[in-house]
Amino acid sequence: MTNAKILVVDDEPQIRRVMKTSLTAQGYIIMDAKSGEEALEVLRREHFDLVLLDMNMPGMNGLETCEQIRRGSEIAIIMLTVRNQEADKIAALDAGADDYVTKPFSMPELMARIRSSLRRVPLSLESGVSTISFDGIEINLATRHVSVQGTDIRFTPKEFELLYYLASNPNIAIPHGKLLQAIWGPDYGREVVYLHVFVNQIRKKIEPNPAKPRYILSEPRVGYRFCLPAKSGL
Amino acid sequence: MPMRPHPFIARLVYSLSAMAVVAAVTYLDFRVLGVNSATAALLYLLVVLAFAAKAGIEASVTASVASVFCYNFFFLPPVGTLNIADPENWVALLAFLITAVTASHLSAQARKQAEEASAGRREMSKLYEFSRALMLGNSETKLGGQIAQQIAAVFNAPSVSFYALNEDMTYHAGPVEPLVSSHSSSEVSVILRVVAKGGNAPQLPAKFCAVSLGGRPIGSLGIAGVQFSDTALSAVCQLAAIAMERARVQEAVNRTESARHNERLKSTLLDALAHEFKTPLTSIKAAVSTVISQRSHDAMENELLTIVEEEADRLTELVTESIKIARIGAGHIQLHKQHTAVKALIVSALAKLQNACDGRPILVSVPEDLPEVEIDPELIELVLRQLIGNALKYSPASAAIQVSAEQQGEWLTVHVADEGPGIPESEQVSVFEKFYRGQAGRHRIAGTGMGLTIAREIVQAHGGEIGLESVAGKGARFSFTLPKVAPTGDAAR
């Protein structure tokens, strides 16, 4: 997807400059915004495939901007930040980001992250089924939509892919590394925190009681297991 | 305030006045008006009641006795003698005496009760004034001083001493000092300290009272030269205790708030610093890594670009590490614990010190079955790098360094030993102190004196201990312990 359109949001002009130059050289179409407010404005006007969003900006910070974008869009979002602490990663993913890159980063690393975020997992090839339904929950691969008791629930692409992957491999424990590689790509495997955050978000959307999950169960130190009810439409 | 006469003098004056008034009434009745004995008895009774109401029991009893004498002498026949001829008159005189004394007693009692009620009201009003003064107290004077001053001012006490247990300090107020003339100020302080801790004060012309709240001693109070009911004194002590406790709690809150504020400020500054350094490094790294990835340059260009990238990485690491050290030095340690194999950490630390090792023999000895520990791997690796780095710096260039780990009961112990000159016994504790640099190397070897302090902070934050053994001339061995991990479930995640 080398013609993908990317919005770079950073208050530092030099960073916008180097990103624009480097990413354009890779074949991406780049626009930039120097604040969260400006980014929201640009996103209202134009369609983008991905947003590279700096976390630490004056005015509306990256987290707020990310939450605002997520309210109306499923666009891929990668957060960029100088802080490398787990709490920051969780905050970024909780706000709706698909990925998180710590500054300074090498361009090949960022490219890999961008490719991963733009990549759509070929789910139909993995499972061979287009719709999974159980207990009033329907996961539709063709439309990439999930409905719970007849109500459409908004899922980001990564959330959808993770749910679909888990649901189409039911009742077996899938290791963290395998899940990460399946959904984010081959460069991933140690980012277990991503799974914790995304699984929590999915649980909030489909589980009757997210604190006592019925469908997505944790396998301590191993991974996750999707518990598919016996009478299901897989 | 007008001077009040001594109570005995006042009673004497009232009693003499009573006799004078009885004499005057007798003269009036006998000489001027020439009234009969019944009228005279009533007039005498009036005098007795007037003195009972205004001057107290002594004056009214004096008036009663004087009236009985005058009544008998001037009005009961035979007049002009103290003899009584008619037995009926004995009854009249006795009835008069009983009536006069009883009325005196009742009237005086009512007067005393009124006086007590009035004194109670005055005390209440003063206690209110005292509590208000404490509430509005100024922040420039110490509270103990304010308490003493306010008691002296509000209760007109010439001498007040207040001892604050938490400060071990005695505050005095009032013009008369010390509290009791027979004892020096420091002796009074000793008495107050004893009273504050629940002991008894010796018999002295002053009142002492312990100040405590909920059984917890707070201080003590000594007052001299003023009448104080026990109830009022106990109320004053209670108010003082509440004020002291309130001040203590407020101070604790202020201290916590100020520490939190400082911490926030430091944290914000460090974040800003990290951001300022890392932003240009991000541009450099992104730019140079893009150019390298293009693969369109010759070997020399490639080499130079790689140097730029490596140095940018090194600078990033230095910045990250410096800020991490600054955070730990400022008391901010956040542990991000995970199950970690110590051997992997040693290998990683040595890899990062590869340049500094410069081919030095490093012997690593870690048993294969050493259990994993739940630690912050980045921080413990920092401790290892610090200890190994020190061993490299302070031992001869060819001397070997040994890094080992072993299990000792519930603990894992890691040792880093060198064959350097060792650390004198006198310095073995100081080397862990902030900014301390060993005598032998401080001018020869670069360092900040923070490394071992930070290592100790990190190890202690994990619940372990760090120490060293050294014999002069035979090297030093630093060891730190880490608690062995207990297996725990992770079902919530």
PDB file of all heavy atoms in Angstrom, chain A residues 12 14-15 18 22 26 56 82-83 103-107 196 218 221 224, chain B residues 271 275 278-279 282-283 285 287 289-290 294 316 339 488 490-491 493:
ATOM      1  N   GLU A  12       6.868  19.759  16.275  1.00  0.00           N
ATOM      2  CA  GLU A  12       8.262  20.082  15.954  1.00  0.00           C
ATOM      3  C   GLU A  12       8.442  20.139  14.439  1.00  0.00           C
ATOM      4  O   GLU A  12       8.317  19.112  13.753  1.00  0.00           O
ATOM      5  CB  GLU A  12       9.196  19.002  16.525  1.00  0.00           C
ATOM      6  CG  GLU A  12       9.259  18.974  18.035  1.00  0.00           C
ATOM      7  CD  GLU A  12       9.977  20.184  18.618  1.00  0.00           C
ATOM      8  OE1 GLU A  12      10.748  20.837  17.870  1.00  0.00           O
ATOM      9  OE2 GLU A  12       9.737  20.484  19.801  1.00  0.00           O
ATOM     10  N   GLN A  14      11.079  20.334  12.548  1.00  0.00           N
ATOM     11  CA  GLN A  14      12.138  19.506  11.965  1.00  0.00           C
ATOM     12  C   GLN A  14      11.682  18.054  11.810  1.00  0.00           C
ATOM     13  O   GLN A  14      12.032  17.375  10.853  1.00  0.00           O
ATOM     14  CB  GLN A  14      13.392  19.542  12.857  1.00  0.00           C
ATOM     15  CG  GLN A  14      14.160  20.835  12.808  1.00  0.00           C
ATOM     16  CD  GLN A  14      14.838  21.067  11.464  1.00  0.00           C
ATOM     17  OE1 GLN A  14      14.172  21.246  10.438  1.00  0.00           O
ATOM     18  NE2 GLN A  14      16.161  21.085  11.446  1.00  0.00           N
ATOM     19  N   ILE A  15      10.901  17.616  12.774  1.00  0.00           N
ATOM     20  CA  ILE A  15      10.416  16.231  12.698  1.00  0.00           C
ATOM     21  C   ILE A  15       9.417  16.100  11.549  1.00  0.00           C
ATOM     22  O   ILE A  15       9.469  15.146  10.765  1.00  0.00           O
ATOM     23  CB  ILE A  15       9.825  15.783  14.057  1.00  0.00           C
ATOM     24  CG1 ILE A  15      10.983  15.710  15.048  1.00  0.00           C
ATOM     25  CG2 ILE A  15       9.092  14.454  13.935  1.00  0.00           C
ATOM     26  CD1 ILE A  15      10.720  15.015  16.327  1.00  0.00           C
ATOM     27  N   VAL A  18      11.545  16.012   8.344  1.00  0.00           N
ATOM     28  CA  VAL A  18      12.274  14.773   8.044  1.00  0.00           C
ATOM     29  C   VAL A  18      11.287  13.639   7.718  1.00  0.00           C
ATOM     30  O   VAL A  18      11.545  12.810   6.841  1.00  0.00           O
ATOM     31  CB  VAL A  18      13.256  14.418   9.197  1.00  0.00           C
ATOM     32  CG1 VAL A  18      12.538  13.905  10.412  1.00  0.00           C
ATOM     33  CG2 VAL A  18      14.283  13.400   8.749  1.00  0.00           C
ATOM     34  N   SER A  22      11.339  11.668   4.239  1.00  0.00           N
ATOM     35  CA  SER A  22      11.636  10.236   4.246  1.00  0.00           C
ATOM     36  C   SER A  22      10.454   9.410   3.747  1.00  0.00           C
ATOM     37  O   SER A  22      10.619   8.485   2.952  1.00  0.00           O
ATOM     38  CB  SER A  22      11.975   9.773   5.658  1.00  0.00           C
ATOM     39  OG  SER A  22      12.976  10.573   6.184  1.00  0.00           O
ATOM     40  N   GLN A  26       9.560   7.006   0.257  1.00  0.00           N
ATOM     41  CA  GLN A  26       9.097   5.611   0.281  1.00  0.00           C
ATOM     42  C   GLN A  26       7.811   5.415  -0.523  1.00  0.00           C
ATOM     43  O   GLN A  26       7.238   4.334  -0.524  1.00  0.00           O
ATOM     44  CB  GLN A  26       8.833   5.178   1.726  1.00  0.00           C
ATOM     45  CG  GLN A  26      10.049   5.205   2.618  1.00  0.00           C
ATOM     46  CD  GLN A  26      11.082   4.160   2.226  1.00  0.00           C
ATOM     47  OE1 GLN A  26      10.730   3.072   1.781  1.00  0.00           O
ATOM     48  NE2 GLN A  26      12.348   4.517   2.352  1.00  0.00           N
ATOM     49  N   ASN A  56       3.139  14.221  22.729  1.00  0.00           N
ATOM     50  CA  ASN A  56       3.389  15.386  23.577  1.00  0.00           C
ATOM     51  C   ASN A  56       3.339  16.667  22.752  1.00  0.00           C
ATOM     52  O   ASN A  56       4.341  17.080  22.180  1.00  0.00           O
ATOM     53  CB  ASN A  56       4.768  15.199  24.226  1.00  0.00           C
ATOM     54  CG  ASN A  56       5.007  16.194  25.325  1.00  0.00           C
ATOM     55  OD1 ASN A  56       4.147  17.037  25.595  1.00  0.00           O
ATOM     56  ND2 ASN A  56       6.160  16.120  25.951  1.00  0.00           N
ATOM     57  N   VAL A  82       8.413  10.335  23.274  1.00  0.00           N
ATOM     58  CA  VAL A  82       9.774  10.181  23.805  1.00  0.00           C
ATOM     59  C   VAL A  82       9.764   9.304  25.053  1.00  0.00           C
ATOM     60  O   VAL A  82      10.813   8.883  25.505  1.00  0.00           O
ATOM     61  CB  VAL A  82      10.410  11.542  24.172  1.00  0.00           C
ATOM     62  CG1 VAL A  82      10.645  12.369  22.943  1.00  0.00           C
ATOM     63  CG2 VAL A  82       9.569  12.298  25.171  1.00  0.00           C
ATOM     64  N   ARG A  83       8.611   9.060  25.620  1.00  0.00           N
ATOM     65  CA  ARG A  83       8.570   8.287  26.861  1.00  0.00           C
ATOM     66  C   ARG A  83       8.392   6.808  26.558  1.00  0.00           C
ATOM     67  O   ARG A  83       7.569   6.436  25.752  1.00  0.00           O
ATOM     68  CB  ARG A  83       7.442   8.775  27.758  1.00  0.00           C
ATOM     69  CG  ARG A  83       7.739  10.141  28.331  1.00  0.00           C
ATOM     70  CD  ARG A  83       6.470  10.803  28.743  1.00  0.00           C
ATOM     71  NE  ARG A  83       5.881  10.068  29.832  1.00  0.00           N
ATOM     72  CZ  ARG A  83       5.716  10.539  31.058  1.00  0.00           C
ATOM     73  NH1 ARG A  83       6.113  11.742  31.336  1.00  0.00           N
ATOM     74  NH2 ARG A  83       5.151   9.820  31.997  1.00  0.00           N
ATOM     75  N   LYS A 103      10.405   7.614  20.327  1.00  0.00           N
ATOM     76  CA  LYS A 103      11.407   8.477  19.707  1.00  0.00           C
ATOM     77  C   LYS A 103      12.698   8.356  20.496  1.00  0.00           C
ATOM     78  O   LYS A 103      12.622   8.266  21.728  1.00  0.00           O
ATOM     79  CB  LYS A 103      10.958   9.938  19.763  1.00  0.00           C
ATOM     80  CG  LYS A 103       9.823  10.317  18.847  1.00  0.00           C
ATOM     81  CD  LYS A 103       9.505  11.781  19.100  1.00  0.00           C
ATOM     82  CE  LYS A 103       8.391  12.274  18.231  1.00  0.00           C
ATOM     83  NZ  LYS A 103       8.070  13.692  18.502  1.00  0.00           N
ATOM     84  N   PRO A 104      13.858   8.436  19.897  1.00  0.00           N
ATOM     85  CA  PRO A 104      14.097   8.439  18.454  1.00  0.00           C
ATOM     86  C   PRO A 104      13.939   7.019  17.898  1.00  0.00           C
ATOM     87  O   PRO A 104      14.290   6.055  18.572  1.00  0.00           O
ATOM     88  CB  PRO A 104      15.552   8.892  18.351  1.00  0.00           C
ATOM     89  CG  PRO A 104      15.998   9.268  19.722  1.00  0.00           C
ATOM     90  CD  PRO A 104      15.090   8.623  20.672  1.00  0.00           C
ATOM     91  N   PHE A 105      13.473   6.936  16.665  1.00  0.00           N
ATOM     92  CA  PHE A 105      13.286   5.637  16.023  1.00  0.00           C
ATOM     93  C   PHE A 105      14.052   5.648  14.703  1.00  0.00           C
ATOM     94  O   PHE A 105      14.333   6.710  14.158  1.00  0.00           O
ATOM     95  CB  PHE A 105      11.794   5.387  15.761  1.00  0.00           C
ATOM     96  CG  PHE A 105      11.109   6.585  15.174  1.00  0.00           C
ATOM     97  CD1 PHE A 105      11.218   6.881  13.822  1.00  0.00           C
ATOM     98  CD2 PHE A 105      10.380   7.448  15.987  1.00  0.00           C
ATOM     99  CE1 PHE A 105      10.604   8.001  13.294  1.00  0.00           C
ATOM    100  CE2 PHE A 105       9.781   8.573  15.453  1.00  0.00           C
ATOM    101  CZ  PHE A 105       9.892   8.856  14.103  1.00  0.00           C
ATOM    102  N   SER A 106      14.369   4.461  14.247  1.00  0.00           N
ATOM    103  CA  SER A 106      15.014   4.420  12.930  1.00  0.00           C
ATOM    104  C   SER A 106      13.902   4.351  11.880  1.00  0.00           C
ATOM    105  O   SER A 106      12.823   3.823  12.161  1.00  0.00           O
ATOM    106  CB  SER A 106      15.935   3.209  12.826  1.00  0.00           C
ATOM    107  OG  SER A 106      15.159   2.073  12.573  1.00  0.00           O
ATOM    108  N   MET A 107      14.188   4.883  10.710  1.00  0.00           N
ATOM    109  CA  MET A 107      13.149   4.931   9.691  1.00  0.00           C
ATOM    110  C   MET A 107      12.685   3.533   9.283  1.00  0.00           C
ATOM    111  O   MET A 107      11.478   3.317   9.163  1.00  0.00           O
ATOM    112  CB  MET A 107      13.660   5.735   8.504  1.00  0.00           C
ATOM    113  CG  MET A 107      12.624   6.544   7.792  1.00  0.00           C
ATOM    114  SD  MET A 107      11.234   7.065   8.788  1.00  0.00           S
ATOM    115  CE  MET A 107      11.423   8.763   8.811  1.00  0.00           C
ATOM    116  N   HIS A 196      -3.121  -7.075  26.060  1.00  0.00           N
ATOM    117  CA  HIS A 196      -3.917  -6.787  27.261  1.00  0.00           C
ATOM    118  C   HIS A 196      -4.902  -5.660  26.985  1.00  0.00           C
ATOM    119  O   HIS A 196      -6.088  -5.750  27.304  1.00  0.00           O
ATOM    120  CB  HIS A 196      -3.018  -6.389  28.432  1.00  0.00           C
ATOM    121  CG  HIS A 196      -2.133  -7.502  28.896  1.00  0.00           C
ATOM    122  ND1 HIS A 196      -0.949  -7.274  29.549  1.00  0.00           N
ATOM    123  CD2 HIS A 196      -2.253  -8.837  28.779  1.00  0.00           C
ATOM    124  CE1 HIS A 196      -0.378  -8.430  29.835  1.00  0.00           C
ATOM    125  NE2 HIS A 196      -1.147  -9.398  29.376  1.00  0.00           N
ATOM    126  N   SER A 218      -8.263 -15.427  29.724  1.00  0.00           N
ATOM    127  CA  SER A 218      -6.798 -15.325  29.822  1.00  0.00           C
ATOM    128  C   SER A 218      -6.236 -16.682  30.204  1.00  0.00           C
ATOM    129  O   SER A 218      -6.788 -17.373  31.051  1.00  0.00           O
ATOM    130  CB  SER A 218      -6.408 -14.334  30.907  1.00  0.00           C
ATOM    131  OG  SER A 218      -6.956 -13.080  30.635  1.00  0.00           O
ATOM    132  N   ARG A 221       0.284 -16.288  31.619  1.00  0.00           N
ATOM    133  CA  ARG A 221       1.646 -16.446  31.080  1.00  0.00           C
ATOM    134  C   ARG A 221       1.691 -17.153  29.724  1.00  0.00           C
ATOM    135  O   ARG A 221       2.766 -17.442  29.219  1.00  0.00           O
ATOM    136  CB  ARG A 221       2.557 -17.204  32.044  1.00  0.00           C
ATOM    137  CG  ARG A 221       2.681 -16.541  33.383  1.00  0.00           C
ATOM    138  CD  ARG A 221       3.823 -17.179  34.161  1.00  0.00           C
ATOM    139  NE  ARG A 221       3.591 -17.034  35.573  1.00  0.00           N
ATOM    140  CZ  ARG A 221       3.558 -15.871  36.210  1.00  0.00           C
ATOM    141  NH1 ARG A 221       3.800 -14.763  35.568  1.00  0.00           N
ATOM    142  NH2 ARG A 221       3.319 -15.820  37.499  1.00  0.00           N
ATOM    143  N   TYR A 224      -4.263 -16.257  25.153  1.00  0.00           N
ATOM    144  CA  TYR A 224      -5.722 -16.141  25.314  1.00  0.00           C
ATOM    145  C   TYR A 224      -6.418 -17.324  24.660  1.00  0.00           C
ATOM    146  O   TYR A 224      -5.884 -17.931  23.715  1.00  0.00           O
ATOM    147  CB  TYR A 224      -6.222 -14.833  24.684  1.00  0.00           C
ATOM    148  CG  TYR A 224      -5.791 -13.624  25.471  1.00  0.00           C
ATOM    149  CD1 TYR A 224      -4.636 -12.918  25.109  1.00  0.00           C
ATOM    150  CD2 TYR A 224      -6.491 -13.218  26.591  1.00  0.00           C
ATOM    151  CE1 TYR A 224      -4.211 -11.820  25.844  1.00  0.00           C
ATOM    152  CE2 TYR A 224      -6.086 -12.124  27.340  1.00  0.00           C
ATOM    153  CZ  TYR A 224      -4.948 -11.427  26.960  1.00  0.00           C
ATOM    154  OH  TYR A 224      -4.543 -10.356  27.694  1.00  0.00           O
TER     155      TYR A 224
ATOM    156  N   ASP B 271      10.878  15.503  32.282  1.00  0.00           N
ATOM    157  CA  ASP B 271      10.158  15.190  31.041  1.00  0.00           C
ATOM    158  C   ASP B 271      10.511  16.204  29.966  1.00  0.00           C
ATOM    159  O   ASP B 271      10.743  15.861  28.804  1.00  0.00           O
ATOM    160  CB  ASP B 271       8.642  15.234  31.280  1.00  0.00           C
ATOM    161  CG  ASP B 271       8.149  13.948  31.899  1.00  0.00           C
ATOM    162  OD1 ASP B 271       8.934  12.986  31.913  1.00  0.00           O
ATOM    163  OD2 ASP B 271       7.011  13.911  32.367  1.00  0.00           O
ATOM    164  N   HIS B 275      12.401  15.558  26.445  1.00  0.00           N
ATOM    165  CA  HIS B 275      11.776  15.955  25.191  1.00  0.00           C
ATOM    166  C   HIS B 275      12.721  16.839  24.384  1.00  0.00           C
ATOM    167  O   HIS B 275      12.912  16.638  23.181  1.00  0.00           O
ATOM    168  CB  HIS B 275      10.473  16.694  25.503  1.00  0.00           C
ATOM    169  CG  HIS B 275       9.682  17.015  24.288  1.00  0.00           C
ATOM    170  ND1 HIS B 275       9.662  18.276  23.744  1.00  0.00           N
ATOM    171  CD2 HIS B 275       8.917  16.245  23.493  1.00  0.00           C
ATOM    172  CE1 HIS B 275       8.895  18.259  22.664  1.00  0.00           C
ATOM    173  NE2 HIS B 275       8.428  17.037  22.499  1.00  0.00           N
ATOM    174  N   LYS B 278      15.617  14.715  23.009  1.00  0.00           N
ATOM    175  CA  LYS B 278      15.267  13.622  22.101  1.00  0.00           C
ATOM    176  C   LYS B 278      14.646  14.108  20.797  1.00  0.00           C
ATOM    177  O   LYS B 278      14.683  13.387  19.805  1.00  0.00           O
ATOM    178  CB  LYS B 278      14.340  12.631  22.800  1.00  0.00           C
ATOM    179  CG  LYS B 278      15.112  11.791  23.806  1.00  0.00           C
ATOM    180  CD  LYS B 278      14.294  10.656  24.313  1.00  0.00           C
ATOM    181  CE  LYS B 278      15.091   9.797  25.279  1.00  0.00           C
ATOM    182  NZ  LYS B 278      14.285   8.732  25.825  1.00  0.00           N
ATOM    183  N   THR B 279      14.104  15.317  20.801  1.00  0.00           N
ATOM    184  CA  THR B 279      13.489  15.794  19.564  1.00  0.00           C
ATOM    185  C   THR B 279      14.521  15.947  18.437  1.00  0.00           C
ATOM    186  O   THR B 279      14.340  15.372  17.362  1.00  0.00           O
ATOM    187  CB  THR B 279      12.710  17.093  19.838  1.00  0.00           C
ATOM    188  OG1 THR B 279      11.694  16.758  20.767  1.00  0.00           O
ATOM    189  CG2 THR B 279      12.072  17.639  18.587  1.00  0.00           C
ATOM    190  N   THR B 282      15.713  12.620  17.330  1.00  0.00           N
ATOM    191  CA  THR B 282      14.737  11.911  16.487  1.00  0.00           C
ATOM    192  C   THR B 282      14.922  12.313  15.025  1.00  0.00           C
ATOM    193  O   THR B 282      14.939  11.458  14.125  1.00  0.00           O
ATOM    194  CB  THR B 282      13.301  12.241  16.946  1.00  0.00           C
ATOM    195  OG1 THR B 282      13.191  11.883  18.306  1.00  0.00           O
ATOM    196  CG2 THR B 282      12.256  11.500  16.132  1.00  0.00           C
ATOM    197  N   SER B 283      15.090  13.621  14.812  1.00  0.00           N
ATOM    198  CA  SER B 283      15.280  14.085  13.430  1.00  0.00           C
ATOM    199  C   SER B 283      16.555  13.489  12.838  1.00  0.00           C
ATOM    200  O   SER B 283      16.568  13.004  11.705  1.00  0.00           O
ATOM    201  CB  SER B 283      15.377  15.606  13.387  1.00  0.00           C
ATOM    202  OG  SER B 283      14.264  16.165  13.996  1.00  0.00           O
ATOM    203  N   LYS B 285      18.232  10.777  13.771  1.00  0.00           N
ATOM    204  CA  LYS B 285      18.114   9.324  13.609  1.00  0.00           C
ATOM    205  C   LYS B 285      17.226   8.989  12.409  1.00  0.00           C
ATOM    206  O   LYS B 285      17.571   8.135  11.576  1.00  0.00           O
ATOM    207  CB  LYS B 285      17.523   8.739  14.902  1.00  0.00           C
ATOM    208  CG  LYS B 285      17.177   7.291  14.846  1.00  0.00           C
ATOM    209  CD  LYS B 285      18.365   6.425  15.135  1.00  0.00           C
ATOM    210  CE  LYS B 285      17.954   4.954  15.054  1.00  0.00           C
ATOM    211  NZ  LYS B 285      19.101   4.073  15.064  1.00  0.00           N
ATOM    212  N   ALA B 287      16.521  10.866   9.847  1.00  0.00           N
ATOM    213  CA  ALA B 287      17.121  11.293   8.586  1.00  0.00           C
ATOM    214  C   ALA B 287      18.229  10.337   8.161  1.00  0.00           C
ATOM    215  O   ALA B 287      18.252   9.833   7.030  1.00  0.00           O
ATOM    216  CB  ALA B 287      17.673  12.705   8.754  1.00  0.00           C
ATOM    217  N   SER B 289      18.867   7.275   9.164  1.00  0.00           N
ATOM    218  CA  SER B 289      18.445   5.897   8.891  1.00  0.00           C
ATOM    219  C   SER B 289      17.737   5.805   7.542  1.00  0.00           C
ATOM    220  O   SER B 289      17.836   4.786   6.850  1.00  0.00           O
ATOM    221  CB  SER B 289      17.563   5.364  10.019  1.00  0.00           C
ATOM    222  OG  SER B 289      16.415   6.161  10.161  1.00  0.00           O
ATOM    223  N   THR B 290      17.069   6.898   7.152  1.00  0.00           N
ATOM    224  CA  THR B 290      16.445   6.903   5.822  1.00  0.00           C
ATOM    225  C   THR B 290      17.525   6.850   4.747  1.00  0.00           C
ATOM    226  O   THR B 290      17.461   6.047   3.812  1.00  0.00           O
ATOM    227  CB  THR B 290      15.607   8.187   5.630  1.00  0.00           C
ATOM    228  OG1 THR B 290      14.666   8.259   6.671  1.00  0.00           O
ATOM    229  CG2 THR B 290      14.897   8.190   4.288  1.00  0.00           C
ATOM    230  N   GLN B 294      18.521   3.751   1.866  1.00  0.00           N
ATOM    231  CA  GLN B 294      18.426   3.915   0.409  1.00  0.00           C
ATOM    232  C   GLN B 294      19.476   3.070  -0.327  1.00  0.00           C
ATOM    233  O   GLN B 294      19.330   2.782  -1.497  1.00  0.00           O
ATOM    234  CB  GLN B 294      18.623   5.395   0.006  1.00  0.00           C
ATOM    235  CG  GLN B 294      17.592   6.342   0.596  1.00  0.00           C
ATOM    236  CD  GLN B 294      16.177   6.004   0.180  1.00  0.00           C
ATOM    237  OE1 GLN B 294      15.893   5.839  -1.005  1.00  0.00           O
ATOM    238  NE2 GLN B 294      15.286   5.859   1.150  1.00  0.00           N
ATOM    239  N   THR B 316      21.420   9.066  22.418  1.00  0.00           N
ATOM    240  CA  THR B 316      20.062   8.789  22.918  1.00  0.00           C
ATOM    241  C   THR B 316      20.134   7.971  24.206  1.00  0.00           C
ATOM    242  O   THR B 316      19.459   8.266  25.192  1.00  0.00           O
ATOM    243  CB  THR B 316      19.264   7.979  21.871  1.00  0.00           C
ATOM    244  OG1 THR B 316      19.251   8.719  20.673  1.00  0.00           O
ATOM    245  CG2 THR B 316      17.849   7.716  22.327  1.00  0.00           C
ATOM    246  N   HIS B 339       9.242 -11.187  35.061  1.00  0.00           N
ATOM    247  CA  HIS B 339      10.070 -12.360  35.326  1.00  0.00           C
ATOM    248  C   HIS B 339      11.315 -12.271  34.461  1.00  0.00           C
ATOM    249  O   HIS B 339      11.218 -12.098  33.253  1.00  0.00           O
ATOM    250  CB  HIS B 339       9.302 -13.640  34.991  1.00  0.00           C
ATOM    251  CG  HIS B 339       8.206 -13.888  35.964  1.00  0.00           C
ATOM    252  ND1 HIS B 339       8.354 -14.724  37.035  1.00  0.00           N
ATOM    253  CD2 HIS B 339       6.967 -13.380  36.044  1.00  0.00           C
ATOM    254  CE1 HIS B 339       7.240 -14.722  37.735  1.00  0.00           C
ATOM    255  NE2 HIS B 339       6.378 -13.918  37.151  1.00  0.00           N
ATOM    256  N   THR B 488       3.048 -16.613  41.056  1.00  0.00           N
ATOM    257  CA  THR B 488       1.733 -15.975  41.181  1.00  0.00           C
ATOM    258  C   THR B 488       0.961 -16.161  39.890  1.00  0.00           C
ATOM    259  O   THR B 488       1.544 -16.269  38.829  1.00  0.00           O
ATOM    260  CB  THR B 488       1.860 -14.459  41.421  1.00  0.00           C
ATOM    261  OG1 THR B 488       2.698 -13.925  40.399  1.00  0.00           O
ATOM    262  CG2 THR B 488       2.415 -14.149  42.782  1.00  0.00           C
ATOM    263  N   ASP B 490      -1.815 -14.912  36.954  1.00  0.00           N
ATOM    264  CA  ASP B 490      -1.964 -13.652  36.226  1.00  0.00           C
ATOM    265  C   ASP B 490      -3.327 -13.648  35.534  1.00  0.00           C
ATOM    266  O   ASP B 490      -3.466 -13.224  34.407  1.00  0.00           O
ATOM    267  CB  ASP B 490      -0.825 -13.534  35.207  1.00  0.00           C
ATOM    268  CG  ASP B 490      -0.647 -12.109  34.730  1.00  0.00           C
ATOM    269  OD1 ASP B 490      -1.217 -11.168  35.331  1.00  0.00           O
ATOM    270  OD2 ASP B 490       0.031 -11.941  33.724  1.00  0.00           O
ATOM    271  N   ALA B 491      -4.319 -14.187  36.260  1.00  0.00           N
ATOM    272  CA  ALA B 491      -5.611 -14.432  35.623  1.00  0.00           C
ATOM    273  C   ALA B 491      -6.307 -13.172  35.145  1.00  0.00           C
ATOM    274  O   ALA B 491      -7.061 -13.204  34.195  1.00  0.00           O
ATOM    275  CB  ALA B 491      -6.517 -15.182  36.594  1.00  0.00           C
ATOM    276  N   ARG B 493      -5.236 -10.706  33.578  1.00  0.00           N
ATOM    277  CA  ARG B 493      -4.850 -10.214  32.270  1.00  0.00           C
ATOM    278  C   ARG B 493      -5.197 -11.202  31.198  1.00  0.00           C
ATOM    279  O   ARG B 493      -4.424 -11.975  30.776  1.00  0.00           O
ATOM    280  CB  ARG B 493      -3.370  -9.896  32.252  1.00  0.00           C
ATOM    281  CG  ARG B 493      -3.112  -8.666  33.134  1.00  0.00           C
ATOM    282  CD  ARG B 493      -1.731  -8.185  32.974  1.00  0.00           C
ATOM    283  NE  ARG B 493      -1.711  -6.732  33.165  1.00  0.00           N
ATOM    284  CZ  ARG B 493      -0.645  -5.985  32.970  1.00  0.00           C
ATOM    285  NH1 ARG B 493       0.466  -6.497  32.558  1.00  0.00           N
ATOM    286  NH2 ARG B 493      -0.675  -4.693  33.152  1.00  0.00           N
TER     287      ARG B 493
END
